[in-house]
């Protein structure tokens, strides 16, 4: 058994001031959410185009299946690459997963038929799903603790920047007066790979997570990676604060845990955190999938808004979602996790219930409906982003990426029921009944409020605390057990 090692690496990383290095890190890694937002928006927009005989001539069911296969790919990619990220390192995986997405989506743009399209949409989704696990782990392990909340929320919120870019691009790409019908949708699928290729080069120059290196017995490499970060900060003109020697850690490298150990940690050691993570991730996933994927349908059936004009309302929705994490994110580091998580979940749920009642009573127009949804999701977007932050920072480093993947997969599975249920509640387009849809809004509202209440009892005051303080790594546990045994 390896001897225990004393280290100050986590303390050295957490005491650093914000610098150009950290900005470059966030841009290079956070692009995954932008790409996913673009992907889903563009894929939704091109659905009707793919039904045209000048393109692939797909049926409505086949178009829907292309979206389903992308989501299945995301889940598979998150689980597979999440496990690999914990075993082989953050850097290898965030380079690999982005590369997979670039290649798969680039090839998708040249699809001659449905089967070809489905295969490569699956692998494009797998690349993005793997990104979520690897990048959140790397960001949380490299960003100073006092900035971790706002950065994680901002990164997750950039999904909606991608949605805005995707929506804006479809105005040109899907206009037959500008581009041939069978060319515009193919170019749309190439936008993400072009953007990703530029970022992929930047990612290759990022260091491995020093924390991950430490926990896998690579102490000298961890020291070198930390010096690299410190040098980058100093070269940016920032003064390096002194290191608090009292924050030194004792480690005995544990390496990648078995599945049995993972189950023990998640279920037996941290049951409250697991319940919290499931509550947060499932409720926000159901809410988003239910509203977002039926957004255009509601505007069309109940307010007579054409699919073309609905894009303008989607932009309003996306702007509210983008602004929420950026403006509310700093409060998660100052006011704190527990009050902010609980209040954003409960407030967005209550506002949704009130808006649903106004909708049922026929008191809204398309514009006021869109504006109220934007206000709701200004808050809900911060809440949803906090879900990813929570499941990332509250579990030991050795299982961090897989924990993110597990909670993400559970959320996607339950969230996928949202569009199906809301579609059934919308029902017959000839005789739309808003009262039926109101009960769907109440269900989504109830889930969000319930998650907020769970947060009041189970959320952890994680603001400005080191990851090792929040959830001691298995390597730290091993070192303590070894000391006790020899004592």
């Amino acid at each position: 058994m390896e001897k225990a090692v004393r280290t100050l690496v986590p303390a050295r990383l957490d005491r650093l001031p914000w610098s150009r290095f950290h900005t470059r890190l966030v841009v290079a890694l956070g692009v995954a959410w932008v790409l996913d937002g673009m992907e889903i928006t563009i894929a939704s927009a091109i659905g009707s185009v793919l039904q045209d005989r000048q393109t692939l001539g797909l049926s409505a069911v086949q178009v829907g299946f292309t979206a389903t296969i992308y989501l299945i790919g995301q889940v598979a990619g998150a689980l597979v690459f999440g496990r690999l990220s914990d075993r082989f390192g953050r850097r290898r995986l965030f380079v690999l997963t982005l590369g997979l997405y670039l290649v798969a989506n680039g090839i998708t743009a040249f699809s001659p038929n449905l089967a070809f399209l489905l295969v490569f949409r699956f692998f494009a989704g797998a690349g993005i799903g793997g990104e979520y696990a690897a990048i959140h782990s790397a960001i949380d392990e490299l960003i100073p603790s006092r900035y971790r909340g706002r950065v994680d929320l901002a990164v997750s919120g950039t999904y909606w920047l991608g949605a805005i870019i995707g929506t804006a691009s479809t105005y040109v790409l899907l206009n037959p007066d500008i581009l041939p019908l069978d060319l515009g949708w193919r170019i749309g699928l190439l936008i993400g790979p072009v953007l990703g290729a530029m970022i992929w080069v930047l990612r290759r120059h990022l260091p491995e997570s020093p924390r991950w290196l430490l926990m896998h017995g690579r102490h000298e490499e961890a020291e070198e990676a930390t010096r690299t970060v410190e040098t980058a900060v100093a070269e940016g003109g920032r003064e390096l604060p002194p290191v608090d020697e009292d924050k030194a850690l004792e480690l005995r490298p544990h390496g990648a845990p078995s599945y049995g150990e993972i189950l023990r940690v998640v279920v037996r050691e941290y049951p409250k955190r697991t319940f919290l993570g499931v509550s947060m991730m499932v409720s926000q996933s159901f809410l988003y999938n239910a509203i977002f994927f039926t957004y255009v349908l509601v505007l069309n059936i109940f307010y007579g808004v054409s699919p073309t004009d609905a894009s303008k309302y989607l932009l309003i929705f996306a702007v509210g979602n983008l602004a929420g994490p950026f403006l509310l994110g700093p409060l998660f580091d100052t006011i704190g996790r527990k009050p902010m998580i609980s209040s954003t979940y409960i407030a967005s749920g209550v506002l949704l219930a009130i808006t649903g009642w106004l909708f049922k009573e026929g008191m809204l127009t398309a514009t006021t409906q869109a504006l109220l949804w934007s206000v709701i999701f200004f808050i809900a977007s911060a809440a949803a982003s906090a879900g990813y932050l929570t499941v990332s920072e509250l579990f030991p480093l050795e299982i961090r990426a897989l924990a993110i993947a597990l909670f993400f997969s559970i959320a996607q599975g339950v969230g996928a029921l949202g569009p199906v249920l809301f579609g059934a509640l919308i029902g017959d387009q000839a005789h739309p009944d808003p009262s039926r849809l109101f009960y769907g809004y109440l269900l989504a509202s109830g889930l969000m409020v319930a998650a907020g209440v769970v947060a009041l009892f189970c959320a952890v005051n994680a603001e400005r605390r080191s990851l090792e303080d929040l959830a001691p790594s298995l390597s730290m546990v091993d070192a303590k057990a070894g000391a006790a045994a020899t004592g």
Side-chain angles (χ1 to χ4, degrees):
M1 181 180 289
E2 286 193 57
K3 289 180 59 177
V5 175
R6 186 176 185 274
T7 181
L8 280 164
V9 163
R12 288 164 62 187
L13 293 171
D14 280 340
R15 109 284 193 188
L16 294 175
W18 191 266
S19 67
R20 285 193 298 242
F21 166 80
H22 297 108
T23 301
R24 187 166 68 249
L25 171 77
V26 170
V27 170
L29 298 182
V31 73
W33 286 90
V34 179
L35 295 176
D36 192 28
M38 285 177 51
E39 280 301 302
I40 290 184
T41 304
I42 291 175
S44 299
I46 67 175
S48 60
V49 174
L50 295 180
Q51 293 179 267
D52 195 285
R53 291 189 178 182
Q54 296 180 55
T55 59
L56 300 185
L58 305 183
S59 67
V61 173
Q62 290 171 330
V63 168
F65 192 54
T66 63
T68 301
I69 205 71
Y70 177 79
L71 295 177
I72 292 173
Q74 278 192 324
V75 170
L79 292 172
V80 171
F81 293 122
R83 175 64 168 164
L84 294 179
S85 179
D86 285 333
R87 181 180 288 271
F88 297 111
R90 314 310 189 202
R91 185 179 181 278
R92 286 184 183 178
L93 268 295
F94 64 58
V95 170
L96 172 63
T97 52
L98 182 57
L100 174 61
Y101 162 78
L102 295 178
V103 172
N105 215 53
I107 294 175
T108 302
F110 300 95
S111 297
N113 53 50
L114 176 63
F116 192 97
L117 178 69
L118 291 177
V119 168
F120 287 99
R121 285 301 286 166
F122 173 85
F123 284 110
I128 291 294
E131 285 271 281
Y132 286 167
I135 66 170
H136 274 291
S137 301
I139 286 175
D140 284 351
E141 290 163 16
L142 282 163
I143 293 295
S145 57
R146 62 189 176 281
Y147 299 113
R148 191 172 61 240
R150 70 194 71 186
V151 169
D152 240 42
L153 262 70
V155 166
S156 299
T158 57
Y159 173 98
W160 296 100
L161 175 60
I164 291 171
I165 296 171
T167 301
S169 67
T170 57
Y171 281 117
V172 175
L173 298 175
L174 303 185
N175 186 339
D177 296 329
I178 299 175
L179 290 171
L181 202 60
D182 195 39
L183 178 62
W185 72 273
R186 297 181 188 275
I187 295 176
L189 292 178
L190 287 173
I191 294 176
V194 170
L195 175 61
M198 295 186 288
I199 297 297
W200 189 75
V201 176
L202 183 59
R203 279 191 183 186
R204 296 180 64 214
H205 298 288
L206 295 175
E208 177 57 272
S209 164
R211 283 179 155 104
W212 182 89
L213 290 168
L214 273 179
M215 308 308 168
H216 288 76
R218 295 159 65 175
H219 312 296
E220 293 182 3
E221 291 178 67
E223 290 285 340
E224 180 59 33
T226 303
R227 282 193 293 272
T228 299
V229 176
E230 290 173 329
T231 300
V233 172
E235 288 176 348
R238 304 306 302 272
E239 183 178 344
L240 300 183
V243 183
D244 185 352
E245 296 285 338
D246 293 336
K247 293 185 177 180
L249 303 177
E250 294 285 336
L251 306 171
R252 176 172 280 129
H254 186 95
S258 67
Y259 284 105
E261 288 178 296
I262 294 169
L263 185 64
R264 173 179 58 79
V265 170
V266 172
V267 176
R268 292 181 55 188
E269 292 191 18
Y270 295 107
K272 286 177 63 176
R273 297 182 181 190
T274 298
F275 183 53
L276 171 67
V278 170
S279 301
M280 292 176 66
M281 294 292 285
V282 164
S283 59
Q284 63 85 17
S285 180
F286 182 86
L287 172 72
Y288 265 94
N289 286 342
I291 301 296
F292 184 61
F293 286 105
T294 58
Y295 193 100
V296 174
L297 202 57
V298 169
L299 290 175
N300 176 251
I301 294 175
F302 292 97
Y303 298 108
V305 177
S306 69
T308 303
D309 290 336
S311 297
K312 302 170 187 175
Y313 296 93
L314 279 171
L315 278 175
I316 298 173
F317 183 74
V319 168
N321 276 276
L322 177 62
F326 279 88
L327 296 179
L328 299 179
L331 301 179
F332 284 76
D333 287 323
T334 53
I335 294 176
R337 303 287 199 268
K338 182 177 289 189
M340 287 306 298
I341 291 172
S342 58
S343 63
T344 52
Y345 270 84
I346 291 173
S348 56
V350 170
L351 287 174
L352 178 63
I354 294 171
T355 300
W357 180 81
L358 293 173
F359 167 77
K360 180 177 77 74
E361 296 299 314
M363 300 170 67
L364 300 177
T365 65
T367 300
T368 54
Q369 176 84 72
L371 289 173
L372 285 171
W373 270 336
S374 187
V375 171
I376 292 167
F377 284 89
F378 171 83
I379 302 171
S381 184
S385 298
Y388 288 91
L389 168 67
T390 298
V391 300
S392 174
E393 68 182 359
L394 294 187
F395 291 91
L397 181 142
E398 289 88 350
I399 68 167
R400 176 164 293 124
L402 184 58
I404 296 169
L406 285 171
F407 287 106
F408 169 77
S409 301
I410 293 170
Q412 285 288 70
V414 177
L417 300 175
V420 176
L421 174 61
F422 272 59
L425 292 174
I426 291 171
D428 184 6
Q429 298 185 19
H431 302 92
D433 182 2
S435 62
R436 294 176 54 185
L437 193 53
F438 168 62
Y439 295 118
Y441 291 141
L442 281 185
L443 174 61
S445 167
L447 289 174
M448 292 295 288
V449 171
V453 173
V454 169
L456 283 173
F457 293 95
C458 299
V460 177
N461 295 316
E463 59 277 3
R464 302 182 298 280
R465 292 171 62 187
S466 73
L467 294 171
E468 292 74 22
D469 181 33
L470 291 170
S473 71
L474 303 184
S475 299
M476 292 169 63
V477 174
D478 288 352
K480 182 182 258 188
T486 56

